[in-house]
Amino acid sequence: MTIGRMENVEVFTSEGKGRGLKATKEFWAADVIFAERAYSAVVFDSLVNFVCHTCFKRQEKLHRCGQCKFAHYCDRTCQKDAWLNHKNECSAMKRYGKVPNENIRLAARILWRVEREGTGLTEGCLVAVDELQNHVEHFGEEEQKELWMDVDTFLQYWPPQSQQFSMQYISHVFGVINCNGFTLSDQRGLQAVGVGIFPNLGLVNHNCWPNCTVIFNNGKIELRALGKISEGEELTVSYIDFLNVSEERKRQLKKQYYFDCTCEHCQKKLKDDLFLGVKDDPKPSQEVVKEMIQFSKDTLEKIDKARSEGLYHEVVKLCRECLQKQEPVFADTNLYTLRMLSTVSEVLSYLQAFEEASYYARRMVDGYMKLYHPNNAQLGMAVMRAGLTNWHAGNIEVGHGMICKAYAILLVTHGPSHPITKDLEAMRVQTEMELRMFRQNEFMYHKMREAALSNQPMQVMAEPSNEPAPALFHKK
């Protein structure tokens, strides 16, 4: 196996995990360990008309390719940059007469690149696409069936004049996409818009309490340090959200990534007691706790249904009732309470009921702070939303405090040049100015605020979506 060279990191054999990456020097929080452009990437099927196929930014007005009418771009520059990767795709689509799904489009883009450059290492890559794991041997019956359907469609789409690859190699590429596909988000980092293959990132192993995080910014991913990393230490990221009991996380990792997690948090079941937390005084009986868990699960199903139908007032009603029932039983770090708090604060903010939303958002943040790694990106985003909600509700001091806290986290996880960090910096400056005015003359402050709000309505929260926050890795 050929290994490329790269400063800052080296490939090594990680005990019980196969290959891994380790640091060749010391790093501190917010350091970028490496940045990497996608080997190949595509926009999701559902967004092909709304997102630029080169830079993955969401835009109102996009130019489309005059030949295939499928590819969309911000402008001529993006279109020119795309041509090398789009050329074969463009003629293949015209010949095939329809648009194949994102997996097939991505597999084809990978194979056209292999055809152009050969199967060896490409510049800046530590590992060749050939040598990424595909886990095809672990596929269940359903996954096998899907794989062969994709391979079948791929063969109809792949042009006869292109290099012909063996069935085994084609299924290897689909396997690689299935377990190494990384989710690309739009410029704000709020919506998953596509999937790409990043060979170097594919070498970074999982840990539920990792020392690195990955962010997609301006066309490339960055692997960023979350705290001090010593020379020789293994670099890890979390493939899934930490907010779950260890058994559930292990089940999810086994199902999606085919390995048994042996990280310290899973082995020692760290924080499980908080995730399942119940009130201390008086302590509820096991029977009551069991009933409450069932009631919470049933409510969550009803909430999902109401959400998908856009019945937001119904969602709020269900959350309120459930939180009231949970109150004497569950602690505020309990997963079921946190799911309710997160949903109700988001939906109330959308309905502009900021006063009530801010109370739930504060409770949610208090719970999250006891659970997440202090520099977790999802924590940063949640604290930012809670800060905005409190600021809208007129809780200037709390809102400003949360916005500062979120800004500190995102400087580490996203870095100062990310659009969302820049937004947050602007909010921080604005709330600081308001806080000063508020402390000097409260009466004048409220007068000015009313005038400002009636004159120019504050930018309101986006409509709550039914989809969870973009997951790090793309799973069908």
Side-chain angles (χ1 to χ4, degrees):
M1 165 174 162
T2 37
I3 294 288
R5 294 284 309 136
M6 199 163 140
E7 56 178 359
N8 295 350
V9 297
E10 72 180 17
V11 182
F12 76 117
T13 304
S14 176
E15 201 184 332
K17 298 192 210 169
R19 288 172 314 196
L21 276 194
K22 63 180 179 185
T24 53
K25 56 178 254 204
E26 190 175 72
F27 290 103
W28 295 89
D31 282 348
V32 176
I33 296 166
F34 68 73
E36 178 180 22
R37 291 205 173 274
Y39 181 83
S40 296
V42 294
V43 174
F44 285 150
D45 297 338
S46 54
L47 294 170
V48 290
N49 299 339
F50 308 103
V51 172
C52 173
H53 290 213
T54 300
C55 68
F56 294 90
K57 287 181 179 159
R58 270 194 84 110
Q59 303 281 12
E60 286 299 309
K61 278 201 166 30
L62 291 167
H63 300 268
R64 70 179 182 175
C65 167
Q67 304 274 320
C68 64
K69 310 274 190 280
F70 160 74
H72 287 69
Y73 304 105
C74 295
D75 49 31
R76 288 271 175 262
T77 314
C78 278
Q79 187 162 5
K80 218 165 76 215
D81 290 347
W83 185 239
L84 181 63
N85 288 310
H86 177 57
K87 191 166 71 176
N88 299 92
E89 178 181 73
C90 192
S91 55
M93 276 193 186
K94 285 192 297 192
R95 190 188 72 89
Y96 184 53
K98 45 186 185 274
V99 174
N101 74 35
E102 60 222 22
N103 273 10
I104 292 160
R105 288 186 285 118
L106 183 54
R109 280 188 162 222
I110 291 170
L111 289 167
W112 277 314
R113 185 156 177 187
V114 169
E115 178 182 41
R116 274 201 316 272
E117 300 175 2
T119 56
L121 278 172
T122 49
E123 199 194 342
C125 277
L126 289 163
V127 61
V129 170
D130 283 32
E131 286 161 1
L132 286 171
Q133 281 188 306
N134 64 47
H135 288 296
V136 172
E137 74 278 10
H138 294 131
F139 277 19
E141 208 177 313
E142 201 42 49
E143 289 175 302
Q144 284 280 354
K145 215 169 82 183
E146 274 184 32
L147 171 72
W148 292 116
M149 274 165 61
D150 275 350
V151 170
D152 194 49
T153 311
F154 172 86
L155 292 169
Q156 295 168 42
Y157 171 61
W158 189 251
Q161 70 273 20
S162 286
Q163 182 184 335
Q164 297 304 306
F165 292 93
S166 70
M167 291 289 269
Q168 195 186 349
Y169 194 69
I170 295 167
S171 62
H172 162 73
V173 168
F174 277 106
V176 164
I177 292 170
N178 185 51
C179 61
N180 287 284
F182 181 81
T183 307
L184 307 181
S185 47
D186 62 357
Q187 63 271 42
R188 311 223 72 63
L190 298 177
Q191 189 189 14
V193 295
V195 55
I197 293 294
F198 297 84
N200 298 344
L201 179 63
L203 293 168
V204 181
N205 284 317
H206 164 84
N207 191 312
C208 292
W209 197 261
N211 55 14
C212 296
T213 187
V214 189
I215 192 73
F216 182 67
N217 183 15
N218 205 7
K220 54 187 188 299
I221 61 107
E222 290 176 345
L223 185 73
R224 307 178 64 90
L226 292 178
K228 181 178 179 289
I229 297 174
S230 311
E231 187 181 332
E233 198 179 324
E234 178 169 12
L235 303 168
T236 55
V237 294
S238 180
Y239 295 176
I240 56 172
D241 184 14
F242 177 65
L243 232 53
N244 238 325
V245 287
S246 52
E247 278 312 305
E248 186 48 42
R249 289 199 308 271
K250 286 172 81 154
R251 195 192 59 74
Q252 201 181 339
L253 289 162
K254 183 74 172 168
K255 182 169 176 261
Q256 296 190 342
Y257 301 98
Y258 316 102
F259 70 86
D260 297 300
C261 187
T262 55
C263 80
E264 190 189 11
H265 273 66
C266 284
Q267 281 188 323
K268 296 183 178 166
K269 300 185 183 302
L270 300 177
K271 308 227 177 206
D272 279 10
D273 55 336
L274 292 171
F275 287 137
L276 304 168
V278 294
K279 285 276 171 25
D280 267 342
D281 200 25
K283 208 177 172 77
S285 70
Q286 276 186 306
E287 200 43 51
V288 168
V289 172
K290 230 171 100 175
E291 276 173 20
M292 199 64 248
I293 289 174
Q294 197 46 58
F295 178 74
S296 303
K297 281 181 176 168
D298 296 344
T299 306
L300 282 167
E301 274 182 28
K302 289 181 192 162
I303 285 171
D304 282 345
K305 189 172 180 297
R307 262 182 112 143
S308 64
E309 291 166 15
L311 303 168
Y312 295 124
H313 290 283
E314 181 60 26
V315 171
V316 171
K317 197 170 131 247
L318 286 163
C319 288
R320 277 195 201 123
E321 278 169 17
C322 192
L323 281 162
Q324 211 172 350
K325 283 212 167 85
Q326 288 173 345
E327 181 64 37
V329 183
F330 289 160
D332 257 7
T333 55
N334 187 292
L335 282 174
Y336 291 107
T337 298
L338 284 171
R339 289 197 180 131
M340 292 298 155
L341 289 172
S342 156
T343 303
V344 76
S345 59
E346 185 191 359
V347 173
L348 283 167
S349 289
Y350 172 66
L351 298 172
Q352 300 196 27
F354 295 116
E355 195 68 45
E356 191 185 353
S358 69
Y359 160 69
Y360 293 126
R362 287 200 298 277
R363 280 178 58 190
M364 173 189 78
V365 165
D366 287 344
Y368 281 177
M369 297 287 240
K370 297 185 179 107
L371 297 167
Y372 273 120
H373 183 291
N375 282 334
N376 178 292
Q378 268 145 318
L379 172 67
M381 299 295 280
V383 176
M384 174 178 88
R385 283 194 294 270
L388 267 174
T389 301
N390 273 277
W391 183 73
H392 277 292
N395 306 329
I396 313 299
E397 299 191 60
V398 176
H400 176 67
M402 284 182 173
I403 284 167
C404 289
K405 174 84 191 140
Y407 181 62
I409 296 172
L410 293 200
L411 275 178
V412 173
T413 59
H414 290 56
S417 73
H418 194 284
I420 228 156
T421 318
K422 288 179 172 167
D423 276 1
L424 207 43
E425 165 70 333
M427 281 177 228
R428 196 178 63 102
V429 171
Q430 161 126 9
T431 53
E432 197 168 318
M433 200 170 67
E434 291 201 13
L435 188 56
R436 271 209 301 273
M437 277 172 52
F438 176 73
R439 282 174 177 158
Q440 280 164 0
N441 186 334
E442 217 172 306
F443 174 74
M444 270 313 288
Y445 167 79
H446 284 298
K447 276 265 173 275
M448 282 178 70
R449 186 180 167 92
E450 271 166 36
L453 286 177
S454 59
N455 195 349
Q456 171 230 338
M458 285 299 306
Q459 154 236 341
V460 182
M461 307 280 176
E463 179 164 358
S465 81
N466 222 359
E467 288 155 30
L472 207 53
F473 289 92
H474 170 62
K475 282 279 146 196
K476 277 192 297 199

